[in-house]
PDB file of all heavy atoms in Angstrom:
ATOM      1  N   ASN Q   1      76.714  76.118  67.330  1.00 63.00           N
ATOM      2  CA  ASN Q   1      75.798  77.254  67.493  1.00 63.00           C
ATOM      3  C   ASN Q   1      76.105  77.976  68.899  1.00 63.00           C
ATOM      4  O   ASN Q   1      76.037  79.109  69.127  1.00 63.00           O
ATOM      5  CB  ASN Q   1      74.353  76.819  67.353  1.00 63.00           C
ATOM      6  CG  ASN Q   1      74.015  76.412  65.913  1.00 63.00           C
ATOM      7  OD1 ASN Q   1      74.725  76.929  65.025  1.00 63.00           O
ATOM      8  ND2 ASN Q   1      72.992  75.706  65.723  1.00 63.00           N
ATOM      9  N   MET Q   2      76.423  77.031  69.813  1.00 62.00           N
ATOM     10  CA  MET Q   2      76.627  77.605  71.165  1.00 62.00           C
ATOM     11  C   MET Q   2      77.869  78.469  71.178  1.00 62.00           C
ATOM     12  O   MET Q   2      77.834  79.555  71.915  1.00 62.00           O
ATOM     13  CB  MET Q   2      76.698  76.420  72.241  1.00 62.00           C
ATOM     14  CG  MET Q   2      77.104  76.901  73.595  1.00 62.00           C
ATOM     15  SD  MET Q   2      77.206  75.563  74.833  1.00 62.00           S
ATOM     16  CE  MET Q   2      77.752  76.520  76.282  1.00 62.00           C
ATOM     17  N   MET Q   3      78.928  77.930  70.558  1.00 58.00           N
ATOM     18  CA  MET Q   3      80.160  78.718  70.552  1.00 58.00           C
ATOM     19  C   MET Q   3      80.120  80.080  69.822  1.00 58.00           C
ATOM     20  O   MET Q   3      80.808  81.003  69.984  1.00 58.00           O
ATOM     21  CB  MET Q   3      81.237  77.882  70.071  1.00 58.00           C
ATOM     22  CG  MET Q   3      81.621  76.663  70.992  1.00 58.00           C
ATOM     23  SD  MET Q   3      83.121  75.817  70.454  1.00 58.00           S
ATOM     24  CE  MET Q   3      82.382  74.903  69.022  1.00 58.00           C
ATOM     25  N   SER Q   4      79.189  80.123  68.759  1.00 60.00           N
ATOM     26  CA  SER Q   4      78.931  81.202  67.908  1.00 60.00           C
ATOM     27  C   SER Q   4      77.727  82.068  68.286  1.00 60.00           C
ATOM     28  O   SER Q   4      77.300  82.969  67.498  1.00 60.00           O
ATOM     29  CB  SER Q   4      78.897  80.924  66.450  1.00 60.00           C
ATOM     30  OG  SER Q   4      77.887  79.987  66.212  1.00 60.00           O
ATOM     31  N   CYS Q   5      77.205  81.883  69.482  1.00 59.00           N
ATOM     32  CA  CYS Q   5      75.968  82.530  69.786  1.00 59.00           C
ATOM     33  C   CYS Q   5      76.164  84.032  70.129  1.00 59.00           C
ATOM     34  O   CYS Q   5      77.158  84.428  70.510  1.00 59.00           O
ATOM     35  CB  CYS Q   5      75.400  81.984  71.306  1.00 59.00           C
ATOM     36  SG  CYS Q   5      73.980  82.624  71.820  1.00 59.00           S
ATOM     37  N   GLN Q   6      75.253  84.917  69.563  1.00 51.00           N
ATOM     38  CA  GLN Q   6      75.366  86.289  69.611  1.00 51.00           C
ATOM     39  C   GLN Q   6      75.523  86.747  70.967  1.00 51.00           C
ATOM     40  O   GLN Q   6      76.228  87.655  71.239  1.00 51.00           O
ATOM     41  CB  GLN Q   6      74.298  86.961  68.847  1.00 51.00           C
ATOM     42  CG  GLN Q   6      74.189  86.703  67.352  1.00 51.00           C
ATOM     43  CD  GLN Q   6      73.190  87.451  66.722  1.00 51.00           C
ATOM     44  OE1 GLN Q   6      72.342  88.047  67.252  1.00 51.00           O
ATOM     45  NE2 GLN Q   6      73.030  87.355  65.313  1.00 51.00           N
ATOM     46  N   LYS Q   7      74.731  86.224  71.940  1.00 54.00           N
ATOM     47  CA  LYS Q   7      74.806  86.633  73.337  1.00 54.00           C
ATOM     48  C   LYS Q   7      76.188  86.446  73.939  1.00 54.00           C
ATOM     49  O   LYS Q   7      76.676  87.223  74.584  1.00 54.00           O
ATOM     50  CB  LYS Q   7      73.726  85.772  74.169  1.00 54.00           C
ATOM     51  CG  LYS Q   7      72.346  86.178  73.753  1.00 54.00           C
ATOM     52  CD  LYS Q   7      71.275  85.335  74.564  1.00 54.00           C
ATOM     53  CE  LYS Q   7      69.933  85.720  74.235  1.00 54.00           C
ATOM     54  NZ  LYS Q   7      68.940  84.826  75.070  1.00 54.00           N
ATOM     55  N   MET Q   8      76.896  85.237  73.691  1.00 56.00           N
ATOM     56  CA  MET Q   8      78.184  85.077  74.185  1.00 56.00           C
ATOM     57  C   MET Q   8      79.120  86.015  73.465  1.00 56.00           C
ATOM     58  O   MET Q   8      80.122  86.413  74.025  1.00 56.00           O
ATOM     59  CB  MET Q   8      78.606  83.663  73.939  1.00 56.00           C
ATOM     60  CG  MET Q   8      77.632  82.678  74.595  1.00 56.00           C
ATOM     61  SD  MET Q   8      78.234  80.945  74.465  1.00 56.00           S
ATOM     62  CE  MET Q   8      79.617  81.015  75.639  1.00 56.00           C
ATOM     63  N   ASN Q   9      78.995  86.316  72.174  1.00 56.00           N
ATOM     64  CA  ASN Q   9      79.896  87.335  71.600  1.00 56.00           C
ATOM     65  C   ASN Q   9      79.729  88.684  72.047  1.00 56.00           C
ATOM     66  O   ASN Q   9      80.586  89.479  72.267  1.00 56.00           O
ATOM     67  CB  ASN Q   9      79.677  87.205  70.030  1.00 56.00           C
ATOM     68  CG  ASN Q   9      80.207  86.002  69.385  1.00 56.00           C
ATOM     69  OD1 ASN Q   9      81.207  85.392  69.912  1.00 56.00           O
ATOM     70  ND2 ASN Q   9      79.567  85.624  68.432  1.00 56.00           N
ATOM     71  N   PHE Q  10      78.517  88.947  72.541  1.00 54.00           N
ATOM     72  CA  PHE Q  10      78.243  90.279  73.204  1.00 54.00           C
ATOM     73  C   PHE Q  10      78.986  90.425  74.448  1.00 54.00           C
ATOM     74  O   PHE Q  10      79.567  91.456  74.768  1.00 54.00           O
ATOM     75  CB  PHE Q  10      76.856  90.443  73.493  1.00 54.00           C
ATOM     76  CG  PHE Q  10      76.403  91.687  74.394  1.00 54.00           C
ATOM     77  CD1 PHE Q  10      76.515  92.931  73.895  1.00 54.00           C
ATOM     78  CD2 PHE Q  10      76.066  91.290  75.644  1.00 54.00           C
ATOM     79  CE1 PHE Q  10      76.189  94.024  74.762  1.00 54.00           C
ATOM     80  CE2 PHE Q  10      75.818  92.435  76.588  1.00 54.00           C
ATOM     81  CZ  PHE Q  10      75.819  93.679  75.986  1.00 54.00           C
ATOM     82  N   PHE Q  11      79.037  89.395  75.380  1.00 55.00           N
ATOM     83  CA  PHE Q  11      79.738  89.353  76.530  1.00 55.00           C
ATOM     84  C   PHE Q  11      81.227  89.385  76.336  1.00 55.00           C
ATOM     85  O   PHE Q  11      82.063  90.022  77.198  1.00 55.00           O
ATOM     86  CB  PHE Q  11      79.360  88.206  77.449  1.00 55.00           C
ATOM     87  CG  PHE Q  11      77.965  88.213  77.991  1.00 55.00           C
ATOM     88  CD1 PHE Q  11      77.011  87.134  77.653  1.00 55.00           C
ATOM     89  CD2 PHE Q  11      77.454  89.395  78.653  1.00 55.00           C
ATOM     90  CE1 PHE Q  11      75.799  87.208  78.038  1.00 55.00           C
ATOM     91  CE2 PHE Q  11      76.178  89.408  79.087  1.00 55.00           C
ATOM     92  CZ  PHE Q  11      75.331  88.349  78.728  1.00 55.00           C
ATOM     93  N   ARG Q  12      81.752  88.874  75.190  1.00 55.00           N
ATOM     94  CA  ARG Q  12      83.148  88.842  74.893  1.00 55.00           C
ATOM     95  C   ARG Q  12      83.579  90.288  74.689  1.00 55.00           C
ATOM     96  O   ARG Q  12      84.822  90.724  75.038  1.00 55.00           O
ATOM     97  CB  ARG Q  12      83.426  88.119  73.678  1.00 55.00           C
ATOM     98  CG  ARG Q  12      84.926  88.106  73.190  1.00 55.00           C
ATOM     99  CD  ARG Q  12      85.056  87.441  71.861  1.00 55.00           C
ATOM    100  NE  ARG Q  12      84.817  86.069  71.981  1.00 55.00           N
ATOM    101  CZ  ARG Q  12      85.606  85.062  72.360  1.00 55.00           C
ATOM    102  NH1 ARG Q  12      86.906  85.441  72.617  1.00 55.00           N
ATOM    103  NH2 ARG Q  12      85.313  83.880  72.412  1.00 55.00           N
ATOM    104  N   SER Q  13      82.749  91.257  74.261  1.00 55.00           N
ATOM    105  CA  SER Q  13      83.043  92.651  74.013  1.00 55.00           C
ATOM    106  C   SER Q  13      83.318  93.351  75.295  1.00 55.00           C
ATOM    107  O   SER Q  13      83.938  94.504  75.283  1.00 55.00           O
ATOM    108  CB  SER Q  13      81.947  93.328  73.163  1.00 55.00           C
ATOM    109  OG  SER Q  13      80.756  93.335  73.912  1.00 55.00           O
ATOM    110  N   THR Q  14      82.988  92.836  76.389  1.00 56.00           N
ATOM    111  CA  THR Q  14      83.190  93.472  77.701  1.00 56.00           C
ATOM    112  C   THR Q  14      84.512  93.169  78.183  1.00 56.00           C
ATOM    113  O   THR Q  14      84.889  92.047  78.571  1.00 56.00           O
ATOM    114  CB  THR Q  14      82.175  93.031  78.735  1.00 56.00           C
ATOM    115  OG1 THR Q  14      80.822  93.256  78.220  1.00 56.00           O
ATOM    116  CG2 THR Q  14      82.269  93.853  80.035  1.00 56.00           C
ATOM    117  N   SER Q  15      85.402  94.034  78.048  1.00 51.00           N
ATOM    118  CA  SER Q  15      86.931  93.691  78.148  1.00 51.00           C
ATOM    119  C   SER Q  15      87.335  93.102  79.490  1.00 51.00           C
ATOM    120  O   SER Q  15      88.174  92.302  79.673  1.00 51.00           O
ATOM    121  CB  SER Q  15      87.705  94.901  78.022  1.00 51.00           C
ATOM    122  OG  SER Q  15      87.364  95.981  78.870  1.00 51.00           O
ATOM    123  N   ASN Q  16      86.501  93.455  80.716  1.00 59.00           N
ATOM    124  CA  ASN Q  16      86.809  93.037  81.996  1.00 59.00           C
ATOM    125  C   ASN Q  16      86.466  91.542  82.125  1.00 59.00           C
ATOM    126  O   ASN Q  16      87.011  90.833  83.114  1.00 59.00           O
ATOM    127  CB  ASN Q  16      86.088  93.825  82.953  1.00 59.00           C
ATOM    128  CG  ASN Q  16      86.586  95.363  83.066  1.00 59.00           C
ATOM    129  OD1 ASN Q  16      87.745  95.524  82.629  1.00 59.00           O
ATOM    130  ND2 ASN Q  16      85.808  96.201  83.439  1.00 59.00           N
ATOM    131  N   TYR Q  17      85.570  91.058  81.318  1.00 64.00           N
ATOM    132  CA  TYR Q  17      85.160  89.585  81.540  1.00 64.00           C
ATOM    133  C   TYR Q  17      85.304  88.750  80.334  1.00 64.00           C
ATOM    134  O   TYR Q  17      84.790  87.616  80.185  1.00 64.00           O
ATOM    135  CB  TYR Q  17      83.709  89.668  81.872  1.00 64.00           C
ATOM    136  CG  TYR Q  17      83.371  90.673  82.917  1.00 64.00           C
ATOM    137  CD1 TYR Q  17      82.854  91.818  82.814  1.00 64.00           C
ATOM    138  CD2 TYR Q  17      83.587  90.160  84.345  1.00 64.00           C
ATOM    139  CE1 TYR Q  17      82.572  92.661  83.925  1.00 64.00           C
ATOM    140  CE2 TYR Q  17      83.361  90.957  85.426  1.00 64.00           C
ATOM    141  CZ  TYR Q  17      82.812  92.226  85.212  1.00 64.00           C
ATOM    142  OH  TYR Q  17      82.562  93.023  86.330  1.00 64.00           O
ATOM    143  N   PHE Q  18      86.304  89.080  79.421  1.00 68.00           N
ATOM    144  CA  PHE Q  18      86.592  88.317  78.204  1.00 68.00           C
ATOM    145  C   PHE Q  18      87.184  86.908  78.582  1.00 68.00           C
ATOM    146  O   PHE Q  18      87.049  85.974  77.969  1.00 68.00           O
ATOM    147  CB  PHE Q  18      87.329  89.024  77.161  1.00 68.00           C
ATOM    148  CG  PHE Q  18      88.746  89.187  77.579  1.00 68.00           C
ATOM    149  CD1 PHE Q  18      89.714  88.294  77.219  1.00 68.00           C
ATOM    150  CD2 PHE Q  18      89.146  90.386  78.223  1.00 68.00           C
ATOM    151  CE1 PHE Q  18      91.117  88.477  77.604  1.00 68.00           C
ATOM    152  CE2 PHE Q  18      90.445  90.485  78.659  1.00 68.00           C
ATOM    153  CZ  PHE Q  18      91.406  89.587  78.339  1.00 68.00           C
ATOM    154  N   GLU Q  19      87.944  86.924  79.740  1.00 72.00           N
ATOM    155  CA  GLU Q  19      88.617  85.815  80.118  1.00 72.00           C
ATOM    156  C   GLU Q  19      87.629  84.630  80.477  1.00 72.00           C
ATOM    157  O   GLU Q  19      87.805  83.466  80.240  1.00 72.00           O
ATOM    158  CB  GLU Q  19      89.438  86.060  81.455  1.00 72.00           C
ATOM    159  CG  GLU Q  19      90.250  84.891  81.943  1.00 72.00           C
ATOM    160  CD  GLU Q  19      90.975  85.099  83.167  1.00 72.00           C
ATOM    161  OE1 GLU Q  19      90.895  86.222  83.738  1.00 72.00           O
ATOM    162  OE2 GLU Q  19      91.753  84.224  83.614  1.00 72.00           O
ATOM    163  N   ILE Q  20      86.476  85.000  81.062  1.00 74.00           N
ATOM    164  CA  ILE Q  20      85.546  84.077  81.351  1.00 74.00           C
ATOM    165  C   ILE Q  20      85.026  83.360  80.256  1.00 74.00           C
ATOM    166  O   ILE Q  20      84.921  81.997  80.116  1.00 74.00           O
ATOM    167  CB  ILE Q  20      84.320  84.734  82.123  1.00 74.00           C
ATOM    168  CG1 ILE Q  20      84.846  85.365  83.461  1.00 74.00           C
ATOM    169  CG2 ILE Q  20      83.219  83.737  82.455  1.00 74.00           C
ATOM    170  CD1 ILE Q  20      83.815  86.155  84.160  1.00 74.00           C
ATOM    171  N   LEU Q  21      84.622  84.257  79.199  1.00 73.00           N
ATOM    172  CA  LEU Q  21      84.037  83.529  77.925  1.00 73.00           C
ATOM    173  C   LEU Q  21      85.073  82.715  77.167  1.00 73.00           C
ATOM    174  O   LEU Q  21      84.787  81.743  76.523  1.00 73.00           O
ATOM    175  CB  LEU Q  21      83.398  84.625  77.133  1.00 73.00           C
ATOM    176  CG  LEU Q  21      82.235  85.218  77.733  1.00 73.00           C
ATOM    177  CD1 LEU Q  21      81.745  86.417  76.955  1.00 73.00           C
ATOM    178  CD2 LEU Q  21      81.053  84.228  77.972  1.00 73.00           C
ATOM    179  N   ASP Q  22      86.325  83.186  77.187  1.00 74.00           N
ATOM    180  CA  ASP Q  22      87.340  82.406  76.525  1.00 74.00           C
ATOM    181  C   ASP Q  22      87.466  81.111  77.085  1.00 74.00           C
ATOM    182  O   ASP Q  22      87.690  80.040  76.399  1.00 74.00           O
ATOM    183  CB  ASP Q  22      88.627  83.312  76.566  1.00 74.00           C
ATOM    184  CG  ASP Q  22      88.778  84.351  75.528  1.00 74.00           C
ATOM    185  OD1 ASP Q  22      87.873  84.435  74.800  1.00 74.00           O
ATOM    186  OD2 ASP Q  22      89.556  85.306  75.671  1.00 74.00           O
ATOM    187  N   VAL Q  23      87.462  81.062  78.398  1.00 75.00           N
ATOM    188  CA  VAL Q  23      87.652  79.688  79.108  1.00 75.00           C
ATOM    189  C   VAL Q  23      86.511  78.862  78.794  1.00 75.00           C
ATOM    190  O   VAL Q  23      86.653  77.617  78.463  1.00 75.00           O
ATOM    191  CB  VAL Q  23      87.668  79.900  80.660  1.00 75.00           C
ATOM    192  CG1 VAL Q  23      87.643  78.608  81.421  1.00 75.00           C
ATOM    193  CG2 VAL Q  23      89.037  80.708  81.050  1.00 75.00           C
ATOM    194  N   ILE Q  24      85.232  79.328  78.882  1.00 74.00           N
ATOM    195  CA  ILE Q  24      84.104  78.515  78.492  1.00 74.00           C
ATOM    196  C   ILE Q  24      84.213  77.957  77.045  1.00 74.00           C
ATOM    197  O   ILE Q  24      83.946  76.891  76.794  1.00 74.00           O
ATOM    198  CB  ILE Q  24      82.812  79.498  78.697  1.00 74.00           C
ATOM    199  CG1 ILE Q  24      82.676  79.755  80.165  1.00 74.00           C
ATOM    200  CG2 ILE Q  24      81.533  78.745  78.087  1.00 74.00           C
ATOM    201  CD1 ILE Q  24      81.423  80.685  80.543  1.00 74.00           C
ATOM    202  N   LEU Q  25      84.440  78.980  76.139  1.00 72.00           N
ATOM    203  CA  LEU Q  25      84.497  78.534  74.689  1.00 72.00           C
ATOM    204  C   LEU Q  25      85.582  77.520  74.421  1.00 72.00           C
ATOM    205  O   LEU Q  25      85.480  76.456  73.734  1.00 72.00           O
ATOM    206  CB  LEU Q  25      84.721  79.714  73.771  1.00 72.00           C
ATOM    207  CG  LEU Q  25      83.559  80.729  73.777  1.00 72.00           C
ATOM    208  CD1 LEU Q  25      84.012  81.947  72.925  1.00 72.00           C
ATOM    209  CD2 LEU Q  25      82.378  80.139  73.240  1.00 72.00           C
ATOM    210  N   MET Q  26      86.750  77.661  75.179  1.00 74.00           N
ATOM    211  CA  MET Q  26      87.772  76.724  74.947  1.00 74.00           C
ATOM    212  C   MET Q  26      87.355  75.284  75.686  1.00 74.00           C
ATOM    213  O   MET Q  26      87.654  74.259  75.008  1.00 74.00           O
ATOM    214  CB  MET Q  26      89.052  77.186  75.751  1.00 74.00           C
ATOM    215  CG  MET Q  26      90.257  76.235  75.577  1.00 74.00           C
ATOM    216  SD  MET Q  26      91.717  76.807  76.467  1.00 74.00           S
ATOM    217  CE  MET Q  26      91.131  76.616  78.155  1.00 74.00           C
TER     218      MET Q  26
END
């Protein structure tokens, strides 16, 4: 549930910061 949280997916849509969320999810 944490990896598929809507809030985290929302931040992924911000192209300048997708690297941060990718590292966290990985």
Side-chain angles (χ1 to χ4, degrees):
N1 291 339
M2 176 180 177
M3 291 184 288
S4 61
C5 180
Q6 293 182 358
K7 293 181 179 180
M8 298 187 71
N9 288 330
F10 167 76
F11 293 123
R12 180 190 290 274
S13 63
T14 308
S15 59
N16 293 335
Y17 305 101
F18 71 89
E19 180 184 6
I20 298 174
L21 295 174
D22 283 346
V23 171
I24 292 175
L25 293 175
M26 182 184 66

